[in-house]
Amino acid sequence: MDPAGRGDSGLDSLKEIGMSDKNPKVDAFMQKNGPWQAEFQKLREIALASGLDENYKWMHPCYTYDGSNVVLIHGFKEYCALLYIKGALLKDPKGILVQQTENVQAGRQVRFRSLREIIDLEPTLKAYIQEAIEVEKSGMKLDLKKTSEFPMPDELKAKFQKDSALEKAFEALTPGRQHAYQLYFSQAKQSATREARIEKTRERILAGKGLND
């Protein structure tokens, strides 16, 4: 058993298996994420075996079909996860998809706390990926809320009144980028922290960039 008490790390069984199209940026990501390294490697293996293209977006491994995002690998202190980008459109007969927060509209996670959990769910994960690919092929879209339907922090409203250039640049962003910023600002509990976050990201907004671009 490994020091973290999660059982056999499984690293030996996750050696290179001859898959093509591996992204060097993902290689680097895998090497520096020690706590979930074995789990990330297995999730990567599953995604590549499903015929998806490997990319590195939002500082995480992201797997696409014909240019469209399908799944993303990410980790937290208590768990790692395979995020289905349009998981809300999947049927989920196993009941394993989790909405990360109430503000997340399309994405759904499958969470893991050990390599064994991933191995046990491998056939299901692959089946869900194939369904997600079919969703992309069909052109199905989720009826997302408009940015205007989400509350805008008072600090951002006040900033716009003093900074018309920032307001214009913010309105020119895609709805998804606008929502990401609003959520990031709103998550801060203190007004001073919200103001600091707005000021910190001002140049990114003026440059037309998203929070994680």
Side-chain angles (χ1 to χ4, degrees):
M1 180 173 288
D2 69 359
R6 293 182 288 112
D8 184 358
S9 69
L11 291 175
D12 290 339
S13 65
L14 298 179
K15 292 179 180 179
E16 296 297 326
I17 56 176
M19 291 184 179
S20 60
D21 300 321
K22 288 189 174 182
N23 189 308
K25 291 183 178 180
V26 176
D27 288 334
F29 173 89
M30 294 290 173
Q31 292 172 5
K32 68 181 181 180
N33 280 276
W36 300 109
Q37 190 176 58
E39 288 79 5
F40 282 168
Q41 290 285 4
K42 184 60 180 177
L43 291 172
R44 182 189 199 187
E45 176 187 317
I46 290 170
L48 289 174
S50 298
L52 297 175
D53 295 323
E54 186 170 73
N55 300 270
Y56 188 70
K57 300 183 180 183
W58 307 293
M59 300 177 68
H60 289 86
C62 182
Y63 299 85
T64 65
Y65 172 80
D66 197 23
S68 296
N69 302 323
V70 177
V71 292
L72 179 143
I73 296 171
H74 59 169
F76 302 86
K77 181 179 180 180
E78 300 297 331
Y79 65 89
C80 64
L82 185 64
L83 174 70
Y84 289 80
I85 304 298
K86 294 182 181 177
L89 294 176
L90 303 183
K91 297 176 182 177
D92 192 21
K94 300 291 186 179
I96 57 175
L97 296 179
V98 177
Q99 184 178 7
Q100 188 174 356
T101 71
E102 63 180 11
N103 291 307
V104 174
Q105 298 189 72
R108 296 292 185 271
Q109 298 174 324
V110 182
R111 298 177 176 179
F112 310 98
R113 292 173 175 80
S114 71
L115 177 61
R116 173 50 56 187
E117 290 179 349
I118 298 173
I119 293 172
D120 290 344
L121 273 177
E122 182 171 355
T124 299
L125 297 177
K126 288 182 176 179
Y128 278 35
I129 289 176
Q130 292 306 314
E131 183 183 354
I133 291 173
E134 291 304 316
V135 165
E136 293 302 330
K137 288 181 178 179
S138 70
M140 290 176 62
K141 302 290 184 181
L142 193 67
D143 187 16
L144 300 175
K145 292 181 180 179
K146 296 179 180 179
T147 304
S148 58
E149 297 180 59
F150 291 96
M152 181 178 291
D154 291 338
E155 293 80 5
L156 186 58
K157 293 178 183 178
K159 187 68 173 178
F160 285 163
Q161 291 178 354
K162 300 177 181 178
D163 192 340
S164 59
L166 179 64
E167 181 178 19
K168 184 177 180 180
F170 186 85
E171 291 176 348
L173 295 173
T174 63
R177 286 178 172 140
Q178 290 180 13
H179 177 49
Y181 277 118
Q182 287 183 204
L183 183 60
Y184 173 63
F185 300 149
S186 298
Q187 285 175 334
K189 296 181 179 180
Q190 302 294 327
S191 178
T193 305
R194 292 191 288 272
E195 291 177 354
R197 288 186 176 186
I198 293 169
E199 188 59 36
K200 181 180 178 181
T201 56
R202 181 178 183 275
E203 293 304 317
R204 297 188 66 82
I205 295 172
L206 291 176
K209 295 181 179 180
L211 183 63
N212 297 307
D213 288 351

